[in-house]
Amino acid sequence: DAEITQSPRHKITETGRQVTLACHQTWNHNNMFWYRQDLGHGLRLIHYSYGVQDTNKGEVSDGYSVSRSNTEDLPLTLESAASSQTSVYFCASSGGDEQYFGPGTRLTVT
Amino acid sequence: EDQVTQSPEALRLQEGESSSLNCSYTVSGLRGLFWYRQDPGKGPEFLFTLYSAGEEKEKERLKATLTKKESFLHITAPKPEDSATYLCAVQAASGGSYIPTFGRGTSLIVHP
């Protein structure tokens, strides 16, 4: 069965370190998305991609970057982790309308 | 700017007590309205897509309906396993964008 996976599931890092969260999907979807979810804010879009070599900024993109070198993967990099980036991160993919989400990565920045 | 407001924020029901969750939206041309279920510690799980006013979709004890301004998720005779957060999202028709706007969700607890 097709799926979308994220790794690691939990991560603790220190302020200022670079962190990369992995997202891998086997749906063969062109569209992939990264969200963060925080209490009181719901899901907020960080970056998204409509295909290989395509990346776009979402509403909360500062301090984050993504790259898309193949259809299956969209890694999210925090260039210099800040305490404000402590959150739960979800990756999603879509072939058109509805999105399919990964299990999430809980990131704590100390 | 597209907006989605869900109410109530939290809802507690007794098993078997039917109720409805509301999703009010403003969007410049609706492409689709989506309902998702999210269990604690997990990612949202897709439930329904509604495309036009008057459309209805059903799945087990859940029925989603759509008007030009809002959507309802009706839960008939809920069971404790229906406890979850229910998210609503809208996608605008303009510009070929696949970016949905999410509401903050309704947290549903069903007591046995």
Side-chain angles (χ1 to χ4, degrees), chain A residues 9 31 33 35 37 40-43 45 48 50 90 96-104, chain B residues 31 34 36 38 41-46 49 51 87 91 96-100 102-104:
Chain A
R9 295 294 315 278
N31 307 329
F33 310 82
Y35 294 90
Q37 188 174 44
H41 288 280
L43 284 166
L45 184 65
Y48 60 100
Y50 287 152
F90 289 102
D97 293 337
E98 68 271 14
Q99 294 184 331
Y100 296 90
F101 286 81
Chain B
R31 175 186 174 91
F34 310 93
Y36 292 85
Q38 186 174 21
K42 296 188 176 182
E45 176 187 348
F46 170 72
T49 306
Y51 290 105
L87 301 173
Q91 195 176 76
S97 168
Y98 294 101
I99 306 301
F102 282 87
R104 295 185 181 183

Side-chain angles (χ1 to χ4, degrees), chain A residues 35-104:
Chain A
Y35 294 90
R36 60 178 290 174
Q37 188 174 44
D38 306 284
L39 281 175
H41 288 280
L43 284 166
R44 291 185 289 175
L45 184 65
I46 305 171
H47 281 285
Y48 60 100
S49 168
Y50 287 152
V52 176
Q53 302 301 329
D54 176 74
T55 61
N56 306 280
K57 295 181 178 181
E59 67 172 300
V60 291
S61 61
D62 287 349
Y64 303 94
S65 64
V66 294
S67 62
R68 187 92 180 268
S69 59
N70 58 51
T71 300
E72 296 80 19
D73 299 289
L74 187 70
L76 177 71
T77 297
L78 286 69
E79 304 294 344
S80 177
S83 58
S84 60
Q85 294 177 310
T86 292
S87 185
V88 180
Y89 291 85
F90 289 102
C91 178
S93 72
S94 170
D97 293 337
E98 68 271 14
Q99 294 184 331
Y100 296 90
F101 286 81

